[in-house]
Amino acid sequence: MSRVVRDFEAAGIVQGVGFRPFVHRTATALGLDGWVANVDGHVAGTVAGAPGAVEEFGRRLAHAAPPLARVRSVRMSDAGAAGPDPGSGFAVRATGPFPAEVRTAAREIPPDAAICDACLAELFAPRDRRYRYPFINCTDCGPRATIIEALPYDRVRTTMRRFPMCRACAAQYADPRDRRFHAEPIACPDCGPTLAWDSLRGEAALSAAVETVVAGGIVAVKGLGGYQLVCDATDATALAVLRRRKRRPAKPFAVMVRDLDEAGRLARVGASARAALTSAVRPVLLLTAGRVRLPRAVHPGTDRIGIFLPTTGLHHLLLRACARPLVVTSGNGADEPIATDDAAARVSLGAIADGFLSHDRPVHARYDDSVLQLSGRGVLTVRRARGLAPAPLRLPRRAPLPLIGVGAQLKHTFTLGEGDRAHLSAHIGDLAGPATHDAFEETYRALGELTGVVPRVVAHDPHPGYLSTQWARARGLPLVPVQHHHAHLAACAAEHGLTRPFTGVAYDGLGLGDDGTLWGGEIMVADLTAYRRVGRFGTAPLPGGDAAVRHPWRTALGYLYGAEPLGSPGPAPELADTFTARLPPDGAATVRTMVERRFNCPRASSAGRLFDAAASLLGLVDSVTYEGEAAVALEAAAARRRAAPLAHRIVRDRGLWVYDPQPTLADLLSRRADGEHVAALAAAFHTTLAAATAELVGRAVESGAPRTVCLAGGCFVNRRLLADVRRLLRAQGLRVLVGREVPVGDGGISYGQAAVAAARLARTKE
């Protein structure tokens, strides 16, 4: 019988996802001999046997891989040696670190995966030796990115190396028939990590944490990617204490529930939501609140609630013992990264938590929870973190040099790019304080070492005040500046594989424009290398700069008394004075003087700031404690109501189509003075902005702009605005794209920067 010998190599996310056991089972089932091993960031080996069986082996590797794997390519080639002896069988080999100088591509890191159904069944099976063991896992679930210290992925290069396997675990690890065959985080009560609460261990520690939560206390729980703060979601007093201690007065909390039935009581859960909630990502999913209402302090100012299911065995044990939904939020103080180190957590969370439920497995990499929301038939990523990052994304144009996109200032991420792969970091936070900046440096070093990407080019935002820009300029490497809104749009285009020109709608808070003003309501014609502005929002001053962002009433006064003159009258003086009359007299007078004298009043063409102004004019929000709070209040007020649109006007100004917001705000105040309900006016405002957007894009397309439209920027987290804009553009026969895997807000900026830099470098090389 003829016999062939082939070397094979599988690239993609093929380490830490049960791929070697899958290869072993596949080869054995086909009667093949050989071996497989983790090599650098991929899987390689040799296979020998009948030609048809070897061919089928290659097909199965590419198309029948385990659910957590993402196979990018399978290469089969003639072996350079005689190969294994016939009948010798197939083996999984341990492999040492691959020499860096021979590395052929950036290594791909598997994200963490939530507990699977098989492990969950064992967790609550009294006769199973892992009964009630919080750290249960197998090849299909458990920690990955948070424990990997180096590649190739073997136990000795993870934080689990501190826990030698007991005889029973070692036997499962070596048994090809077992679900834990080569499951690197394998553990059990006899040999794995142990819970701790002060001097208590194991079940006693868990009981102490449960008693504290049930009694109304706050517990710092060490999760997969760092500490989380946990309290009773039904206890208004506990929630108030958590908000005060955490210095988070209004931003909604996420709620972890036991199962889909409980989720369905607290939120509206349809088929798409069920699929997202039960996925291996286990994201926080933003949903409309259901018939059973939790205290207002869980999600003040909005009818949306963040719901997620248990991620680990520990979470399941907590929820079953507490028998109530739990607030599970990031273990940090305001504007700080989540705590990962045990000693540091005691310091940073000591004034917040009433106790610490910890364990002795180190967290190697910081990962917060991912946040998604439904968008049409799919989902939209709000925050990309645990379960999603750092799985690579595609670059439509290959980067001829390794590079980094260093992101923006808010919702910071960075992206390492090499070849056609982009490795988008997990959410880090706002680069405001030294702790977050240190977290950025730490994450950059760790992800760089794992992927092997050593940047030779740095892409950055042009804003000189961003700490990310300052970091980029200090590298001493060639720089590629990428305008903020071009980066937003490029992120959407790159995710969808666009390399040809497109029309872009970029709506967000603020970003530095080419003309030195602040942009945020932009219509562009762009590709991955360049753009031109074809439309915009009318500008208004921001009295006091950042102070106007924190206090939307200031922005409202900027629109009332200093909006760009575009030929239409603003609100009637008596209506403007009615709004001003409810503000602190000295403050309103001072701000009006600043506007009239143009003192410390940078101008902005921002959709996000217009939302702020409308929210304040309607009396919904005058000051905010987190970014986007005013827009959230306006969307919540609008709910699902329908109302006649407000007046709006599109004008031509210096070659650009411009939406003049003055008629809209004048009509808003006039109809409010006539007694129209705030909810109806909030709905009308959304309808009007969508109509104005559709008209801006329509005018651009009539002038020759592409008929493919990318929507990007934080304003499109607003479900109503996104749905209305998408519907109106599609009604014009346009193709409309929005990001799915890449955050639509500033968390996607770094990926857009990387895509632009790669395209520009490729064009230069060509």
Side-chain angles (χ1 to χ4, degrees), residues 229 245-247 330-339 348-349 352:
L229 294 168
R245 293 179 183 176
K246 190 174 163 68
R247 291 176 287 126
S330 306
N332 56 3
D335 302 322
E336 295 177 352
I338 59 172
S348 62
L349 305 180
I352 302 176

Side-chain angles (χ1 to χ4, degrees), residues 343-365:
R346 294 273 177 175
V347 174
S348 62
L349 305 180
I352 302 176
D354 297 307
F356 287 77
L357 183 61
S358 186
H359 57 77
D360 50 352
R361 183 180 68 203
V363 175
H364 182 69

Side-chain angles (χ1 to χ4, degrees), residues 86-98:
S88 58
F90 200 88
V92 174
R93 290 184 180 176
T95 310
F98 204 61

Side-chain angles (χ1 to χ4, degrees), residues 136-425:
I136 189 170
N137 67 83
C138 69
T139 54
D140 294 330
C141 68
R144 299 294 191 271
T146 52
I147 64 169
I148 296 173
E149 297 176 322
L151 290 177
Y153 178 63
D154 288 305
R155 190 181 181 93
V156 294
R157 284 178 286 278
T158 73
T159 58
M160 288 301 296
R161 61 185 168 81
R162 297 162 175 80
F163 303 94
M165 284 182 279
C166 65
R167 182 174 298 178
C169 282
Q172 289 183 297
Y173 182 87
D175 185 353
R177 300 163 298 177
D178 198 281
R179 198 174 83 253
R180 294 184 173 87
F181 179 48
H182 278 273
E184 306 305 342
I186 187 173
C188 76
D190 294 332
C191 64
T194 303
L195 288 178
W197 176 283
D198 295 331
S199 61
L200 302 177
R201 296 292 181 269
E203 286 284 355
L206 179 63
S207 296
V210 170
E211 290 170 7
T212 301
V213 171
V214 171
I218 299 163
V219 174
V221 177
K222 189 176 182 181
L224 284 176
Y227 276 84
Q228 299 169 310
L229 294 168
V230 176
C231 76
D232 181 353
T234 68
D235 187 333
T237 301
L239 293 166
V241 171
L242 178 58
R243 288 202 175 279
R244 185 182 71 252
R245 293 179 183 176
K246 190 174 163 68
R247 291 176 287 126
R248 182 170 164 171
K251 191 174 183 180
F253 287 133
V255 177
M256 184 177 282
V257 295
R258 175 174 168 171
D259 52 31
L260 284 174
D261 287 342
E262 190 168 60
R265 287 190 288 272
L266 298 180
R268 297 181 183 179
V269 179
S272 296
R274 287 195 295 272
L277 287 169
T278 56
S279 71
V281 177
R282 290 295 196 281
V284 175
L285 189 63
L286 303 180
L287 297 168
T288 301
R291 63 183 183 275
V292 176
R293 296 296 175 121
L294 293 172
R296 186 173 180 81
V298 172
H299 52 110
T302 176
D303 66 341
R304 287 203 290 172
I305 181 172
I307 296 287
F308 65 139
L309 297 182
T311 304
T312 65
L314 176 57
H315 289 130
H316 275 282
L317 293 168
L318 278 170
L319 279 160
R320 292 215 181 183
C322 292
R324 67 202 70 194
L326 301 176
V327 159
V328 179
T329 188
S330 306
N332 56 3
D335 302 322
E336 295 177 352
I338 59 172
T340 56
D341 177 76
D342 296 334
R346 294 273 177 175
V347 174
S348 62
L349 305 180
I352 302 176
D354 297 307
F356 287 77
L357 183 61
S358 186
H359 57 77
D360 50 352
R361 183 180 68 203
V363 175
H364 182 69
R366 177 182 285 104
Y367 281 83
D368 215 326
D369 293 313
S370 290
V371 180
L372 307 180
Q373 71 178 34
L374 299 179
S375 174
R377 295 180 181 178
V379 294
L380 179 148
T381 300
V382 178
R383 183 169 75 192
R384 192 171 192 268
R386 176 194 48 75
L388 294 173
L393 302 160
R394 183 172 171 267
L395 288 173
R397 296 296 304 274
R398 292 182 63 89
L401 294 173
L403 55 86
I404 180 174
V406 296
Q409 182 84 346
L410 302 179
K411 298 177 174 59
H412 183 256
T413 65
F414 65 88
T415 296
L416 296 173
E418 184 174 281
D420 65 350
R421 298 287 104 180
H423 305 265
L424 176 57
S425 78

Side-chain angles (χ1 to χ4, degrees), residues 8-221:
F8 65 90
E9 180 180 296
I13 298 182
V14 291
Q15 292 192 20
V17 292
F19 198 81
R20 287 179 301 166
F22 156 71
V23 173
H24 183 280
R25 291 192 299 270
T26 302
T28 302
L30 292 170
L32 301 174
D33 303 311
W35 59 273
V36 64
N38 283 336
V39 179
D40 195 42
H42 56 275
V43 166
T46 298
V47 64
V54 170
E55 185 177 345
E56 177 62 17
F57 173 82
R59 279 197 296 268
R60 293 188 189 181
L61 261 57
H63 303 296
L68 298 181
R70 293 190 187 179
V71 181
R72 185 157 43 87
S73 65
V74 174
R75 184 177 61 85
M76 305 283 288
S77 59
D78 289 334
D85 294 334
S88 58
F90 200 88
V92 174
R93 290 184 180 176
T95 310
F98 204 61
E101 62 272 13
V102 190
R103 186 176 64 86
T104 57
R107 311 180 191 105
E108 300 182 20
I109 316 301
D112 289 2
I115 185 172
C116 67
D117 290 342
C119 283
L120 182 59
E122 291 176 346
L123 180 67
F124 292 107
R127 294 186 178 182
D128 194 278
R129 69 188 191 88
R130 292 186 178 84
Y131 175 58
R132 296 184 59 79
Y133 183 58
F135 307 99
I136 189 170
N137 67 83
C138 69
T139 54
D140 294 330
C141 68
R144 299 294 191 271
T146 52
I147 64 169
I148 296 173
E149 297 176 322
L151 290 177
Y153 178 63
D154 288 305
R155 190 181 181 93
V156 294
R157 284 178 286 278
T158 73
T159 58
M160 288 301 296
R161 61 185 168 81
R162 297 162 175 80
F163 303 94
M165 284 182 279
C166 65
R167 182 174 298 178
C169 282
Q172 289 183 297
Y173 182 87
D175 185 353
R177 300 163 298 177
D178 198 281
R179 198 174 83 253
R180 294 184 173 87
F181 179 48
H182 278 273
E184 306 305 342
I186 187 173
C188 76
D190 294 332
C191 64
T194 303
L195 288 178
W197 176 283
D198 295 331
S199 61
L200 302 177
R201 296 292 181 269
E203 286 284 355
L206 179 63
S207 296
V210 170
E211 290 170 7
T212 301
V213 171
V214 171
I218 299 163
V219 174
V221 177

